[in-house]
C-alpha cells in the first residue's frame, strides 16, 4: 500500500502531503495576491484583489462637480473679474488634471461665466449706443447740424495723426531757444490740408478748413495763454511757442474728426 501511494503522489493520504497539480499551483499563486477572505457567522465577504481597483483611482476628484452655480463651482465671488475667473480655472484644471469628469465640470462652469460676461458687455454696448442716439435725436437742431460735420475715424488713424502733431509740438519745444516755430507750424498746416483733401477729395475745402483751424487755434492761444501763471511756464517758452502748441491741437482735431 505504501509503495502504491508513493508511485501515485496525486492521491491524498492522511500520512503524506498532497502534491498539487499544475492547475492547482496556478490557482494557489493567484490566491496569494489577494487579500485574505474574512469570514463571519452571518456574512462572507468576497475576495478583493489588486486587479479589482480601477485604473487611475488615486487621481483626486473635484468635490464641487455637481454644484449648479458656476461661481461657487469655481470657488470665486460673483463680482470676480475676468482675470480672477481665468486664474481659478487654470488652478483647478492643474489640481484635478487627469480626472475627465472633473475637468469637464470645471470647463463647463468657465464657459458659462464667459458667455454671461460676453452678453453683459454686448448689452451694455447696445444700451450705450441707444442712449447716445436718443440724446442726439433729442438735442437742439444746431447741435444736430454740428454733429453732421463730425466723424470718428479708426483708432489707428487717430494715433498716427496724434503722433505726428505731438512730434511737431515736441520739436517746437526743443528748438524754443533757437528760434520761433514758424517752420513746424507750416509743416503741420500742410499735413492737415493733405489729410483733409485725402478725406474729402476737395482741395479747396481742405484749404479752407485747414487755414480756419490754424486761425482759430492761434486766436484761442493768444487769448488764453497769457492767463497761465508765469510760475508754470518755462523761461524759454515764449508766447509764440505756447500759441503754436494750441494751434497744433486745433489742426489735429480738424484733420482727424471733421468731415
Amino acid at each position: 500500500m505504501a509503495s502504491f501511494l508513493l508511485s501515485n503522489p496525486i492521491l491524498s493520504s492522511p500520512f503524506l502531503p498532497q502534491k498539487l497539480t499544475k492547475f492547482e499551483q496556478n490557482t494557489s499563486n493567484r490566491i496569494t495576491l489577494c487579500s485574505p477572505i474574512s469570514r463571519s457567522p452571518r456574512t462572507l465577504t468576497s475576495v478583493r484583489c489588486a486587479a479589482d481597483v480601477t485604473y487611475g483611482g488615486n487621481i483626486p476628484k473635484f468635490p464641487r462637480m455637481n454644484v449648479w452655480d458656476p461661481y461657487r463651482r469655481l470657488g470665486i465671488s460673483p463680482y470676480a473679474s475676468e482675470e480672477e475667473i481665468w486664474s481659478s480655472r487654470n488652478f483647478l484644471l492643474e489640481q484635478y488634471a487627469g480626472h475627465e469628469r472633473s475637468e469637464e465640470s470645471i470647463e463647463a462652469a468657465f464657459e458659462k461665466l464667459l458667455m454671461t460676461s460676453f452678453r453683459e458687455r454686448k448689452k451694455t454696448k447696445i444700451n450705450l449706443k441707444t442712449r447716445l442716439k436718443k440724446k442726439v435725436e433729442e438735442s437742439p437742431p444746431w447741435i444736430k447740424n454740428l454733429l453732421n460735420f463730425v466723424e470718428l475715424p479708426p483708432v489707428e488713424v487717430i494715433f498716427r495723426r496724434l503722433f505726428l502733431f505731438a512730434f511737431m509740438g515736441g520739436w517746437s519745444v526743443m528748438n524754443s531757444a533757437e528760434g520761433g516755430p514758424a517752420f513746424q507750424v507750416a509743416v503741420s498746416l500742410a499735413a492737415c490740408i493733405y489729410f483733409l483733401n485725402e478725406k474729402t477729395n476737395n482741395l479747396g475745402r481742405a484749404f479752407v478748413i485747414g487755414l480756419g483751424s490754424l486761425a482759430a487755434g492761434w486766436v484761442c492761444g493768444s487769448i488764453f495763454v497769457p492767463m497761465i501763471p508765469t510760475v508754470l511756464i518755462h523761461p524759454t517758452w515764449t508766447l509764440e511757442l505756447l500759441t503754436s502748441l494750441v494751434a497744433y491741437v486745433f489742426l489735429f482735431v480738424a484733420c482727424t474728426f471733421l468731415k
Side-chain angles (χ1 to χ4, degrees), residues 64 69-89 92 109-110 113:
R64 298 187 299 273
D69 188 0
Y71 289 100
R72 292 181 57 192
R73 191 185 304 177
L74 295 182
I76 56 178
S77 168
Y79 306 100
S81 62
E82 189 169 341
E83 183 179 355
E84 292 174 339
I85 296 174
W86 274 94
S87 178
S88 176
R89 175 253 187 189
L92 292 176
F110 172 72
L113 291 181

Side-chain angles (χ1 to χ4, degrees), residues 69-136:
D69 188 0
Y71 289 100
R72 292 181 57 192
R73 191 185 304 177
L74 295 182
I76 56 178
S77 168
Y79 306 100
S81 62
E82 189 169 341
E83 183 179 355
E84 292 174 339
I85 296 174
W86 274 94
S87 178
S88 176
R89 175 253 187 189
N90 294 336
F91 172 76
L92 292 176
L93 285 179
E94 182 179 356
Q95 187 175 6
Y96 298 100
H99 195 276
E100 185 177 356
R101 290 189 59 195
S102 298
E103 293 177 349
E104 290 177 355
S105 177
I106 295 168
E107 287 287 5
F110 172 72
E111 292 175 0
K112 187 174 182 180
L113 291 181
L114 279 189
M115 290 300 298
T116 303
S117 177
F118 172 75
R119 292 193 196 98
E120 290 179 355
R121 288 199 303 268
K122 187 175 180 181
K123 185 178 180 181
T124 304
K125 188 175 181 180
I126 293 175
N127 290 339
L128 182 61
K129 289 183 177 180
T130 305
R131 291 176 184 176
L132 290 175
K133 185 177 180 181
K134 186 176 180 181
K135 287 185 178 181
V136 171

Side-chain angles (χ1 to χ4, degrees), residues 7-121:
S7 63
N8 295 279
I10 300 176
L11 298 177
S12 61
S13 171
F15 304 102
L16 296 176
Q18 180 180 3
K19 183 177 180 180
L20 300 177
T21 62
K22 187 174 181 180
F23 172 79
E24 291 170 335
Q25 289 177 355
N26 295 335
T27 307
S28 176
N29 292 334
R30 292 182 59 186
I31 294 175
T32 57
L33 295 175
C34 306
S35 59
I37 302 175
S38 60
R39 299 177 182 272
S40 63
R42 294 184 179 181
T43 60
L44 178 63
T45 58
S46 61
V47 178
R48 182 171 181 82
C49 303
D52 295 335
V53 181
T54 307
Y55 175 74
N58 57 347
I59 298 177
K61 181 181 178 181
F62 186 42
R64 298 187 299 273
M65 190 183 307
N66 297 323
V67 175
W68 180 82
D69 188 0
Y71 289 100
R72 292 181 57 192
R73 191 185 304 177
L74 295 182
I76 56 178
S77 168
Y79 306 100
S81 62
E82 189 169 341
E83 183 179 355
E84 292 174 339
I85 296 174
W86 274 94
S87 178
S88 176
R89 175 253 187 189
N90 294 336
F91 172 76
L92 292 176
L93 285 179
E94 182 179 356
Q95 187 175 6
Y96 298 100
H99 195 276
E100 185 177 356
R101 290 189 59 195
S102 298
E103 293 177 349
E104 290 177 355
S105 177
I106 295 168
E107 287 287 5
F110 172 72
E111 292 175 0
K112 187 174 182 180
L113 291 181
L114 279 189
M115 290 300 298
T116 303
S117 177
F118 172 75
R119 292 193 196 98
E120 290 179 355
R121 288 199 303 268

Side-chain angles (χ1 to χ4, degrees), residues 149-162 195-196 198-199 252-259:
F149 295 97
V150 178
E151 67 176 0
L152 185 63
V155 179
E156 56 271 13
V157 174
I158 297 175
F159 278 106
R160 283 202 300 266
R161 296 180 184 179
L162 179 62
F195 292 140
L196 287 169
E198 186 181 26
K199 184 190 302 184
F252 163 72
V253 172
C255 69
T256 305
F257 298 104
L258 294 183
K259 292 182 180 180

Side-chain angles (χ1 to χ4, degrees), residues 242-258:
L242 296 176
T243 304
S244 66
L245 296 179
V246 177
Y248 295 149
V249 175
F250 275 74
L251 291 173
F252 163 72
V253 172
C255 69
T256 305
F257 298 104
L258 294 183

